[in-house]
Amino acid sequence: MAMEGQAKESAAAAAEVDDKQLQEIVRSWMLQALSGEDIDRYRKLLSDLKNVDFDDPESVSGLAARIRALSQCVSIINERDHEMLLSLVFSMSFWSGSNELLDAIENLVVNLATSSGVLVPRCLDMLVRNFLPPSCGIKVHLDCYTQDRLARKKMTFESLKGLKPLHLSMKSDVVNRVHLALQRILELVPIAALRLHPIVQQRMPHRRVDKDWNSLFLENMLLLDSKRVSPAISSRMLLGIVDRLIEIDVEIAWEDILKDEDSSKVLVFHMDVDESDDKQAAPGSEAQLEHALAAHSGKKPLDEIADKMDHLMELVFEHLHQCAKNERLDEVYTTLMVSFKSTVLDTYKSKFTQFLIFYLCSLSPSSCGVNFAGFLCETFVTRSIPSNTRMSAAAYLASYLARANFLPLPVVLSSVSRLVNWCVSFTPTRFDVFKLTDTALHGVFYAACQAVMYILCFRLRELHADSTQRPLLKGLRLQQLIEHKLCPLKVCLPSVVEEFVRQATAIQLISYSGTVEPSSGFEVLSFKSYGGDNRLEMFFPFDPYLLRRSDRFIEPIFTHWSAAHSANEVEEQSSDEEEPVVEEEEVLDPDDLMEAEEEGYEHHDGGEEAFRNSLECMSITPPRMLPANLAQMLPMS
């Protein structure tokens, strides 16, 4: 045993001597190359680095030894004299080779970054390039050895992409190694943080690239945010992620979501619906899809792009959940609000990205949730803000207050009161008695009126049932609002107006005996310019969430419309105001959202009836945005 131990120690000592000798040899080659004494040795080093057989352990071990030697010589390496050497090093991969080799590459890259500020961007770029493996097939993410094998036809793109399962199985180890190297560089060279963001943005895969690669790159960006090595990096990563989500989001058309391409990916439509045949269409619904849906039922699969969006949203929701556990919500809220103000608020074809702020607010209702409602109110009433943005703020406020079941009732009522007072005090600067309404001129006013009515369609029952809020509710100047000379009941969405009038008259909040149908003398806004000037009928941003995987985060905090929660219940409450019944809402802990296993999570999916009502009940999903051949696109029952 003693002899075996001595033999091992001798071997280790010999290896150490060999390594030291090799370092001296490489250093000697470098010095000779710099002085022009022996350029052949420098060329030999380049050849040894380039020609490696990764199937031969000795060849890989030799490469690792040379790279370790180079790590000791970084002080004499420069771009002018050693560009070919640096190009080889910066095109190496963390996705192939032994741990010995990968350790050597990691140390060399870190040493190069700390030895010369000029090389910092290239070191960062090399690490960011390794966010994705060569099997992604994206040219800018291919390492030098893969490129060489492809060029010499020793590998095909098909065989390269066939390595995807292997590379995905290595994901955790490679990502940890890459981020450890990034963290070391950012700690040793603080200015590197300013260089990292543009490199990450430039390296992001195109939005049409496979969902697995988009997801992997986004995971790396979220990890940069989680590490918090620099505040500048954290905020910029989140902003970049939201921008990417918006790019994908606006490409998803409603007909894409309804395509029957993969029956394993199921679209979720949540609706508590009244099963009676004579049920009223819910407010906000103008879609008439009876003919298209008459002979079809079952689940509606997601399009590939929507499925990609679903995976990415799930990743970000999980990240926000972790931020809540790490007490970072205020910081993240500030960052997301920057993106919301600059990008999301005025992006009228966004269907899902806005739910990030919705979910974040649910994690901190008393802080983030209240602040978001206040921001939307303030944005709407600020006259210096463009009208289009103010109308968007009204739509967001209406949808948010109606759908967010985590918001305290006083917040809902105070926001409604502020809107009502603004509407009542609104005096048009131009008023043509021959054309009583001008939606282009007074669109902001009508957006506020519609927001008030839409919110109350959802929340009137709760507000009236609450003994504290009921007196304040009855103090709203709703009668003055509906009697305004701009005639909001004749201009706003008929379905919203009808439901509001039904509920408000049932508890005597207003007195109205006229028709809710728009008069021929009034111009009612339409869907014809989705995202254009006529926006009252365009959308409510927090309509039912249609993505299945990520819906597990939204479902517990989202209020679904039920036709049962309309006039009948309000009337019952009005007849028994002495002892109102207040339903207690379940307070959800963020950890609860992660406990439901994906396969076991049940959705409120009721086939044809649920699909029909998800589009027709309390939703402004534009019917003209749906394909004319919807009947042919839906799966046959």
Side-chain angles (χ1 to χ4, degrees):
M1 293 294 294
M3 294 182 62
E4 289 182 5
Q6 291 177 357
K8 290 181 179 179
E9 290 178 3
S10 300
E16 184 177 350
V17 170
D18 289 343
D19 252 12
K20 289 182 178 179
Q21 291 177 343
L22 186 57
Q23 289 173 19
E24 290 302 320
I25 292 172
V26 172
R27 185 177 178 85
S28 174
W29 288 348
M30 296 292 294
L31 290 172
Q32 292 173 3
L34 287 170
S35 62
E37 294 178 7
D38 192 350
I39 195 68
D40 289 337
R41 290 194 173 184
Y42 176 65
R43 290 173 177 168
K44 178 66 167 57
L45 173 63
L46 294 179
S47 177
D48 291 342
L49 292 175
K50 186 175 182 180
N51 299 311
V52 180
D53 182 2
F54 281 88
D55 294 326
D56 181 1
E58 290 188 5
S59 180
V60 174
S61 180
L63 175 62
R66 287 167 174 78
I67 291 176
R68 283 196 300 270
L70 283 173
S71 294
Q72 305 302 315
C73 306
V74 292
S75 61
I76 57 175
I77 298 177
N78 61 76
E79 287 186 300
R80 185 188 64 186
D81 298 309
H82 310 102
E83 177 57 35
M84 292 183 66
L85 172 64
L86 290 172
S87 294
L88 277 172
V89 170
F90 291 135
S91 61
M92 291 182 178
S93 175
F94 283 100
W95 295 88
S96 59
S98 62
N99 286 331
E100 177 192 19
L101 173 60
L102 300 182
D103 288 340
I105 295 174
E106 178 187 336
N107 289 326
L108 175 57
V109 173
V110 173
N111 288 345
L112 286 170
T114 56
S115 69
S116 173
V118 176
L119 296 177
V120 167
R122 296 182 70 175
C123 294
L124 295 176
D125 184 73
M126 184 267 189
L127 294 171
V128 173
R129 178 177 57 78
N130 278 280
F131 280 3
L132 296 182
S135 58
C136 71
I138 304 172
K139 187 175 181 180
V140 293
H141 288 275
L142 300 182
D143 60 276
C144 59
Y145 302 111
T146 300
Q147 292 180 16
D148 181 65
R149 292 162 76 183
L150 288 171
R152 293 193 292 167
K153 299 186 188 272
K154 289 190 174 183
M155 173 185 284
T156 64
F157 267 105
E158 287 70 23
S159 60
L160 174 62
K161 292 183 177 181
L163 297 174
K164 178 179 177 179
L166 172 63
H167 287 158
L168 289 179
S169 69
M170 301 167 56
K171 179 179 74 172
S172 179
D173 291 338
V174 174
V175 168
N176 288 338
R177 183 184 295 278
V178 168
H179 283 269
L180 177 61
L182 281 171
Q183 189 169 356
R184 290 171 63 190
I185 292 174
L186 293 172
E187 289 174 352
L188 295 171
V189 189
I191 197 173
L194 300 177
R195 305 287 186 89
L196 182 58
H197 174 254
I199 292 172
V200 172
Q201 290 293 105
Q202 185 178 9
R203 286 287 186 181
M204 285 185 75
H206 193 275
R207 58 185 177 275
R208 293 189 179 275
V209 168
D210 183 88
K211 71 179 181 184
D212 289 330
W213 306 132
N214 263 292
S215 297
L216 179 53
F217 200 92
L218 187 138
E219 285 183 57
N220 279 276
M221 294 179 71
L222 292 173
L223 194 55
L224 283 175
D225 175 71
S226 300
K227 294 292 185 181
R228 303 180 68 187
V229 291
S230 168
I233 290 178
S234 296
S235 61
R236 291 185 179 187
M237 288 302 107
L238 279 178
L239 293 175
I241 288 169
V242 174
D243 287 345
R244 171 47 52 89
L245 290 174
I246 281 287
E247 290 176 2
I248 298 174
D249 199 344
V250 297
E251 284 198 355
I252 302 173
W254 294 109
E255 56 265 34
D256 291 332
I257 301 177
L258 299 172
K259 284 181 181 177
D260 184 12
E261 292 179 355
D262 183 350
S263 59
S264 68
K265 294 175 275 186
V266 179
L267 177 64
V268 176
F269 287 113
H270 296 287
M271 278 293 142
D272 290 329
V273 298
D274 189 342
E275 297 297 334
S276 62
D277 295 333
D278 59 347
K279 66 179 176 60
Q280 295 288 337
S285 164
E286 308 301 317
Q288 299 298 326
L289 301 176
E290 300 294 332
H291 177 71
L293 296 170
H296 298 85
S297 62
K299 299 177 179 180
K300 313 302 180 290
L302 288 169
D303 172 77
E304 181 181 351
I305 301 177
D307 187 44
K308 182 187 303 179
M309 186 73 184
D310 193 9
H311 280 74
L312 298 181
M313 289 292 292
E314 184 180 36
L315 287 173
V316 184
F317 282 143
E318 289 174 346
H319 178 72
L320 296 179
H321 172 75
Q322 288 300 123
C323 289
K325 295 176 67 175
N326 296 332
E327 300 182 347
R328 292 186 55 208
L329 284 183
D330 289 341
E331 170 196 337
V332 175
Y333 173 79
T334 300
T335 300
L336 283 184
M337 284 304 295
V338 171
S339 184
F340 182 82
K341 296 173 188 177
S342 62
T343 306
V344 180
L345 181 58
D346 285 320
T347 303
Y348 299 104
K349 291 185 179 181
S350 174
K351 306 165 192 65
F352 310 112
T353 309
Q354 59 264 28
F355 278 91
L356 296 179
I357 196 72
F358 187 92
Y359 176 67
L360 179 64
C361 288
S362 75
L363 299 176
S364 179
S366 61
S367 178
C368 300
V370 174
N371 288 341
F372 186 56
F375 160 77
L376 293 172
C377 278
E378 194 62 35
T379 300
F380 174 78
V381 300
T382 303
R383 298 186 63 179
S384 60
I385 294 177
S387 297
N388 292 344
T389 301
R390 295 173 68 189
M391 292 175 68
S392 294
Y396 267 96
L397 182 63
S399 196
Y400 177 61
L401 297 181
R403 299 291 191 175
N405 65 20
F406 51 84
L407 278 179
L409 286 179
V411 175
V412 175
L413 190 55
S414 64
S415 300
V416 171
S417 178
R418 190 173 184 184
L419 287 180
V420 171
N421 291 336
W422 183 92
C423 292
V424 170
S425 62
F426 179 79
T427 302
T429 55
R430 292 170 55 188
F431 188 73
D432 186 346
V433 295
F434 297 103
K435 186 179 181 182
L436 293 179
T437 61
D438 187 335
T439 54
L441 184 61
H442 305 310
V444 175
F445 169 79
Y446 294 121
C449 293
Q450 182 163 285
V452 169
M453 291 185 283
Y454 185 82
I455 295 166
L456 291 179
C457 285
F458 275 87
R459 309 306 292 264
L460 191 57
R461 170 175 167 266
E462 295 174 86
L463 292 169
H464 188 261
D466 188 288
S467 59
T468 303
Q469 302 303 316
R470 189 188 305 124
L472 301 175
L473 174 66
K474 292 187 174 182
L476 294 178
R477 301 156 70 187
L478 294 174
Q479 190 67 37
Q480 291 174 260
L481 183 146
I482 68 172
E483 293 176 351
H484 196 284
K485 62 183 178 181
L486 289 180
C487 308
L489 297 189
K490 297 294 185 180
V491 178
C492 295
L493 285 172
S495 56
V496 174
V497 173
E498 181 180 359
E499 182 64 23
F500 165 73
V501 169
R502 182 184 298 112
Q503 293 194 37
T505 54
I507 58 174
Q508 300 178 349
L509 282 182
I510 63 171
S511 175
Y512 185 78
S513 58
T515 176
V516 297
E517 295 299 325
S519 170
S520 59
F522 293 84
E523 178 186 354
V524 181
L525 298 185
S526 69
F527 289 107
K528 65 183 179 182
S529 56
Y530 186 75
D533 292 332
N534 296 333
R535 290 179 179 147
L536 279 186
E537 226 177 69
M538 183 196 67
F539 76 141
F540 288 123
F542 298 118
D543 265 2
Y545 191 79
L546 307 182
L547 303 177
R548 178 164 189 162
R549 290 172 60 93
S550 50
D551 180 70
R552 63 190 174 94
F553 293 92
I554 301 301
E555 167 65 19
I557 60 175
F558 191 84
T559 298
H560 297 285
W561 171 258
S562 172
H565 292 175
S566 60
N568 293 336
E569 291 191 357
V570 175
E571 288 172 356
E572 291 175 3
Q573 290 177 8
S574 65
S575 64
D576 188 21
E577 292 187 359
E578 297 301 323
E579 297 181 2
V581 178
V582 181
E583 294 184 0
E584 295 185 0
E585 293 185 359
E586 179 184 3
V587 178
L588 295 174
D589 185 273
D591 291 330
D592 295 338
L593 300 177
M594 304 300 293
E595 293 178 358
E597 295 183 3
E598 182 179 335
E599 294 181 358
Y601 186 78
E602 295 185 1
H603 299 284
H604 300 285
D605 194 351
E608 174 187 348
E609 193 68 17
F611 178 59
R612 180 198 312 274
N613 285 279
S614 68
L615 291 180
E616 295 188 357
C617 293
M618 288 305 295
S619 172
I620 305 289
T621 300
R624 294 189 183 91
M625 295 300 294
L626 294 172
N629 61 334
L630 180 60
Q632 285 73 37
M633 295 173 63
L634 301 181
M636 297 297 293
S637 57

